[in-house]
Amino acid sequence: MNPSRCAACRYLRRRCPPDCIFSPYFPPNNPQRFASIHRIYGASNVAKLLQRLPSHLRTQAADSLYLEAQYRIEDPVYGCVGLISLLQQQIHDVERQLAMTQAEIASRARHPQAVEGNLLNNVGNPSFSNQASSWFM
């Protein structure tokens, strides 16, 4: 075995030519990277894709293919789209919470006496003191 073969040529059990399209993007110390891409896209398709791209975009393409392949292996139905949907939902939830908090702050700014009155009325309330102490923990 030639230790200088790239991960793709090792996986495909072939000689690694000096002008191998895979060698810059699939180093021999990370064989799982090519194995994941090969499993989802196939070596021939990846080679064609990399050859058609300008050389300055190939590294980004190989990285993108790897990440998309990993997510497709983890979630065969949705792949990376499932993660994107989850993140969009989290953003939506946080934006909603932010809007509610901003509305509450604006309401308290308009009516500061009502807020102070509520605080003074709840001083002797045990559930209020437990709630207030939990805010500071």
Side-chain angles (χ1 to χ4, degrees):
M1 269 236 172
N2 183 0
S4 65
R5 289 191 304 173
C6 68
C9 291
R10 275 188 184 203
Y11 187 86
L12 298 171
R13 297 179 182 177
R14 66 180 191 189
R15 185 182 57 84
C16 191
D19 62 342
C20 178
I21 189 72
F22 296 120
S23 64
Y25 317 107
F26 304 104
N29 61 349
N30 192 356
Q32 186 59 36
R33 182 176 167 97
F34 180 76
S36 297
I37 290 175
H38 176 66
R39 180 175 169 189
I40 300 299
Y41 301 108
S44 177
N45 291 329
V46 174
K48 289 176 193 174
L49 181 105
L50 291 175
Q51 287 171 344
R52 289 179 185 159
L53 286 173
S55 59
H56 69 280
L57 295 177
R58 291 178 183 171
T59 301
Q60 289 177 332
D63 291 342
S64 179
L65 287 171
Y66 174 64
L67 289 174
E68 290 178 24
Q70 283 297 107
Y71 285 115
R72 183 61 63 182
I73 291 169
E74 289 176 17
D75 184 356
V77 175
Y78 295 107
C80 62
V81 175
L83 176 65
I84 292 168
S85 297
L86 175 70
L87 293 173
Q88 285 177 334
Q89 183 62 42
Q90 289 176 353
I91 289 170
H92 176 72
D93 292 346
V94 169
E95 286 174 341
R96 188 176 41 81
Q97 288 176 348
L98 177 62
M100 288 173 38
T101 303
Q102 288 173 336
E104 186 176 336
I105 290 170
S107 173
R108 289 183 183 202
R110 285 192 300 268
H111 307 290
Q113 297 83 11
V115 173
E116 288 175 11
N118 286 341
L119 289 175
L120 292 176
N121 291 338
N122 288 320
V123 168
N125 185 348
S127 67
F128 177 77
S129 63
N130 290 340
Q131 182 183 18
S133 64
S134 69
W135 290 339
F136 300 105
M137 291 185 165

